[in-house]
Amino acid sequence: MRVLVTGGAGFIGSHIVTALMDSGHDPVVLDALLPAAHPDTPALPDAEFVRADVRDADAVRDALQGMDAVCHQAAMVGLGKDFADAPEYVGCNDLGTAVLLAEMASAGIRQLVLAGSMVVYGEGRYTCERHGTVRPGPRLAEDLEAGRFEPRCPDCGAGLAPGLVGEDAPTDPRNVYATTKLAQEHLAAAWARCVEGRAVALRYHNVYGPGMPRDTPYAGVASFFRSALARGEAPRVFEDGAQRRDFVHVRDVASANVVALEALRGTAAGMLTAYNTGSGQPRTVGEMASALASAYGGPAPVVTGEFRLGDVRHITADSARLRDGLGWRPEVGFEDGMAEFARAGQRASAGAVG
């Protein structure tokens, strides 16, 4: 298949391009190379390259000529700094997706793999011994300041046991970025219904690996820790380090894109299907920091008790639908992945758009 990969020069996108080529497909990269994401021109994938913004309808229209499918990775990522970032997030993520989908509709392209995110869920799945499955509200600043990090049962105030989140869980985006990622899914679902298209949203968990951006407020926590170690500093772990996450290697995410793309023709037309994309090995942030520091040979992590309002406590995926439905399996284990990441280079980054 000839596949347009938006954001294909970015961290995840470039790995997807490589995986597509390795699987015999013909990827074409569309990327604006905006300075916020690429302060230096990155090493471009060995594929046809179109320098253009996904919000530019004319450029997108031209790039879509002769395509069979699209992997849409272009997005502004991360929590942002404050709500003043909202217009830029909505412009990059939602307007960009709307322009792309409108041009796909006109071009008759009916296959889409969308980069989704686990942030659409808000907090993860929790169980109260008395009330069963519950959905705690956002954590309060006064609780976090007092070191009370764990969510409590909204009915009785008791402690909760975290579990795995399935794709059918209610969505509850808790920041602007999360809201735009959910809006992207809604736009793609509407497009699929209108044009009888086939769409998949891969809800990525905490992606890490070679080529991850460094020194940016928009990067994931693994990048923060790796950047600190490279400076000879101890990774600074927020809260108490017991936050549960699912760290999934970027090559496994890339392979999930290829598997999803190749399965599209066999899926029902007129709908979008969401798939959690995680390693299946939940770890705490503290465990990740320790594994990375040990593999790097750098200073041990420091648990600071600091917090970011808007962060969720625990969010880990149940990726059974992707495994059972499409036959995808992650291949990079946590220890091996962290050992590789400790040695791997990082790309320069000044900020926001991937």
Side-chain angles (χ1 to χ4, degrees):
M1 277 187 284
R2 191 161 166 81
V3 184
L4 184 68
V5 183
T6 70
F11 166 47
I12 298 175
S14 61
H15 283 273
I16 292 171
V17 170
T18 298
L20 286 168
M21 290 190 294
D22 289 346
S23 297
H25 299 290
D26 182 15
V28 174
V29 173
L30 186 147
D31 199 301
L33 297 183
L34 297 178
H38 302 285
D40 303 318
T41 301
L44 298 176
D46 187 18
E48 184 179 338
F49 176 74
V50 177
R51 183 166 186 171
D53 194 307
V54 74
R55 293 166 288 186
D56 182 340
D58 292 337
V60 171
R61 186 179 308 121
D62 291 342
L64 286 171
Q65 297 303 308
M67 296 297 156
D68 300 303
V70 174
C71 282
H72 183 31
Q73 306 296 313
M76 184 172 176
V77 300
L79 280 178
K81 294 181 178 179
D82 54 47
F83 204 82
D85 290 334
E88 193 171 4
Y89 273 95
V90 172
C92 288
N93 297 358
D94 299 339
L95 176 60
T97 298
V99 170
L100 173 66
L101 294 173
E103 294 304 326
M104 288 176 65
S106 297
I109 299 169
R110 300 292 184 260
Q111 298 185 90
L112 171 71
V113 177
L114 172 68
S117 175
M118 53 82 182
V119 296
V120 301
Y121 297 117
E123 281 286 355
R125 183 179 185 274
Y126 293 90
T127 302
C128 172
E129 285 189 358
R130 180 178 175 187
H131 294 100
T133 300
V134 297
R135 293 186 60 78
R139 296 181 295 169
L140 301 177
E142 52 263 38
D143 287 334
L144 297 172
E145 289 167 355
R148 297 188 293 268
F149 301 121
E150 293 291 343
R152 313 294 292 184
C153 176
D155 296 317
C156 67
L160 300 173
L164 300 180
V165 181
E167 291 88 349
D168 295 329
T171 54
D172 184 19
R174 304 232 171 145
N175 54 62
V176 171
Y177 170 63
T179 302
T180 64
K181 294 307 290 183
L182 184 57
Q184 284 185 301
E185 289 194 19
H186 288 324
L187 286 165
W191 165 85
R193 285 193 295 271
C194 289
V195 305
E196 287 295 297
R198 293 174 167 85
V200 161
L202 297 176
R203 291 175 175 170
Y204 303 158
H205 278 246
N206 291 71
V207 186
Y208 73 97
M212 197 173 192
R214 67 172 182 266
D215 299 326
T216 163
Y218 300 90
V221 66
S223 176
F224 278 123
F225 294 166
R226 176 66 174 77
S227 298
L229 290 165
R231 297 190 300 267
E233 301 171 2
R236 294 177 61 82
V237 180
F238 280 15
E239 301 186 16
D240 58 0
Q243 311 94 301
R244 286 162 53 93
R245 297 290 187 270
D246 187 323
F247 298 98
V248 58
H249 196 278
V250 66
R251 286 197 300 274
D252 287 331
V253 168
S255 72
N257 275 266
V258 176
V259 167
L261 180 72
E262 293 175 343
L264 277 174
R265 291 188 186 276
T267 61
M271 63 180 294
L272 175 142
T273 304
Y275 293 95
N276 287 332
T277 308
S279 71
Q281 299 178 328
R283 302 281 181 163
T284 68
V285 172
E287 288 174 332
M288 186 274 287
S290 294
L292 189 58
S294 177
Y296 189 86
V302 175
V303 178
T304 69
E306 298 172 84
F307 63 88
R308 293 192 305 180
L309 198 62
D311 278 354
V312 297
R313 178 62 172 172
H314 305 296
I315 176 68
T316 53
D318 181 353
S319 299
R321 177 184 290 180
L322 185 56
R323 289 168 167 78
D324 298 342
L326 301 186
W328 172 79
R329 295 288 186 277
E331 296 183 355
V332 183
F334 177 78
E335 289 79 9
D336 290 342
M338 287 297 160
E340 179 195 24
F341 184 44
R343 298 187 297 269
Q346 292 179 274
R347 63 172 62 200
S349 178
V353 181

